[in-house]
Amino acid sequence: MTESHRNSSRISKAVIPAAGLGTRFLPATKATPKEMLPVVDKPAIQYVVEEAVEAGLSDILMVTGRNKRPLEDHFDRNYELEEALRRKGDAQRLGRVQESSDLATMHYVRQGDPRGLGHAVLCAAPHVGDQPFAVLLGDDLIDPRDPLLSHMVEVQEREGGSVIALMEVEPSQIGLYGCAAIESTGDDDVVRVTGLVEKPDPAEAPSNYAIIGRYVLDPAIFEILRQTKPGRGGEIQLTDALQKLAFDEKLGGPVHGVVFRGRRYDTGDRGDYLRAIVRLACEREDLGPDFRAWLRRYVTEEM
Ligand code: UTP
């Protein structure tokens, strides 16, 4: 058990890196952060903040950069709009507008140059201090009905060290992700991580367990990140720092993986983004019935 785990009270801080350039979604992301793209009628980032709050983490630090002002505005009050809706007596829409500003205590830090996910996490060090903390990638949407983060927090509180989220993918697809070498713990949903490699050649990948965008980290990660040199793509990779933690337990305790088998969408990828919208829209009580009927007609008659 590490020093930081011995001292830990319940994890309360979440860090959301949202400073990436979003090049896969250009030109939509030229002047708009990809995290603000709507998934049905809420920006993708709001689902992520709601997930953190649902897991009991209400102190949220968002790592932002240039062009990311709309993110701050979305989680702030908009008095003019609220007043206009109040005058109209539109209580329902007023509630929807106020939801995002009442969700959590939001803090922001700017990354400056987007030098990689590891560097974005390092920007959170002064805010986080010496307690374990969660990291949720701003463009990774976990279906609200398939809770993951709360389970990861439980595993961290029980085992100490760090916990990452893993998902089994087709072996041919593993080169698109960070990949974990694992050992069984006897629990189907929790594995011991013995090594990590970023975007491996599928022929050399140690498994088909891909890292997805949720982490609960021991603060020892910050010192390791300070010493981590730019890796793949010239970026400071979080996976490289986690590999050091997994390799040497004395640095910050063990690394466990929670295996996720639920619904997850990479909203920074155009195909996955469309799938997220269709699926969530189909399942909405207000929009679903009409949308499903239209979709059925479209698929049978026009495709
Ligand atoms: P991505 O790998 O999706 O990169 O980052 P990206 O730049 O955002 O998007 P593409 O690939 O150009 O389309 C994964 C997560 O890490 C954050 C991103 O905002 C995203 O949530 N990130 C990445 C940072 O905060 N800073 C960085 O320097 C890089």
Side-chain angles (χ1 to χ4, degrees):
M1 198 180 277
T2 63
E3 191 61 28
S4 57
H5 184 238
R6 270 197 297 275
N7 294 337
S8 72
S9 51
R10 208 181 178 292
I11 297 167
S12 63
K13 289 185 181 169
V15 174
I16 303 185
L21 295 176
T23 55
R24 285 170 296 163
F25 234 121
L26 283 168
T29 47
K30 185 178 172 190
T32 304
K34 66 173 166 181
E35 296 82 2
M36 286 303 294
L37 297 177
V39 176
V40 189
D41 52 7
K42 276 194 292 198
I45 191 76
Q46 189 172 332
Y47 292 86
V48 178
V49 172
E50 286 171 353
E51 183 192 339
V53 172
E54 193 60 34
L57 316 178
S58 54
D59 178 312
I60 293 178
L61 176 75
M62 209 171 276
V63 184
T64 68
R66 276 187 288 283
N67 282 347
K68 300 283 179 169
R69 229 4 234 277
L71 287 167
E72 296 184 27
D73 290 341
H74 183 71
F75 292 100
D76 200 354
R77 304 297 296 267
N78 182 333
Y79 290 105
E80 249 177 26
L81 181 58
E82 288 176 33
E83 201 35 56
L85 291 168
R86 212 172 273 123
R87 272 200 307 273
K88 279 187 175 175
D90 194 339
Q92 201 190 6
R93 290 203 174 95
L94 179 62
R96 298 279 283 156
V97 164
Q98 288 172 332
E99 244 168 49
S100 54
S101 53
D102 294 341
L103 262 178
T105 309
M106 302 295 299
H107 307 270
Y108 300 91
V109 62
R110 285 211 171 206
Q111 192 185 3
D113 282 336
R115 290 167 53 201
L117 177 58
H119 180 250
V121 170
L122 187 53
C123 293
H127 181 82
V128 167
D130 64 356
Q131 295 293 318
F133 63 103
V135 173
L136 297 88
L137 299 197
D139 56 358
D140 216 328
L141 201 164
I142 301 290
D143 195 300
R145 292 156 303 171
D146 299 328
L148 165 65
L149 191 61
S150 45
H151 187 199
M152 295 174 70
V153 168
E154 273 165 37
V155 172
Q156 199 285 335
E157 287 177 346
R158 192 176 67 225
E159 307 286 347
S162 297
V163 180
I164 62 177
L166 298 172
M167 199 179 71
E168 282 190 84
V169 297
E170 288 298 319
S172 61
Q173 297 293 301
I174 193 70
L176 301 171
Y177 298 87
C179 171
I182 57 158
E183 277 172 4
S184 163
T185 61
D187 174 342
D188 256 7
D189 294 334
V190 182
V191 292
R192 181 71 174 251
V193 176
T194 55
L196 291 161
V197 46
E198 185 63 28
K199 301 192 172 70
D201 181 336
E204 283 160 23
S207 76
N208 64 331
Y209 283 87
I211 306 173
I212 57 172
R214 299 293 180 266
Y215 309 79
V216 180
L217 299 176
D218 187 282
I221 195 82
F222 293 129
E223 198 40 48
I224 300 172
L225 281 169
R226 278 186 201 103
Q227 293 162 20
T228 301
K229 303 240 163 2
R232 224 189 143 90
E235 297 192 332
I236 297 176
Q237 298 285 355
L238 182 59
T239 308
D240 292 346
L242 281 166
Q243 156 65 13
K244 289 188 194 129
L245 277 185
F247 184 72
D248 185 354
E249 225 180 79
K250 288 196 291 298
L251 293 173
V255 178
H256 284 90
V258 167
V259 181
F260 182 64
R261 298 190 177 87
R263 290 155 286 192
R264 171 241 173 207
Y265 314 94
D266 174 0
T267 56
D269 171 82
R270 291 169 301 172
D272 235 17
Y273 172 77
L274 293 173
R275 284 186 277 278
I277 293 178
V278 171
R279 214 154 167 176
L280 293 175
C282 280
E283 289 154 11
R284 279 269 296 256
E285 268 178 31
D286 52 350
L287 302 167
D290 278 356
F291 186 65
R292 280 198 303 272
W294 173 82
L295 193 60
R296 222 172 274 124
R297 271 199 312 278
Y298 177 67
V299 170
T300 49
E301 292 167 21
E302 293 181 48
M303 285 183 75

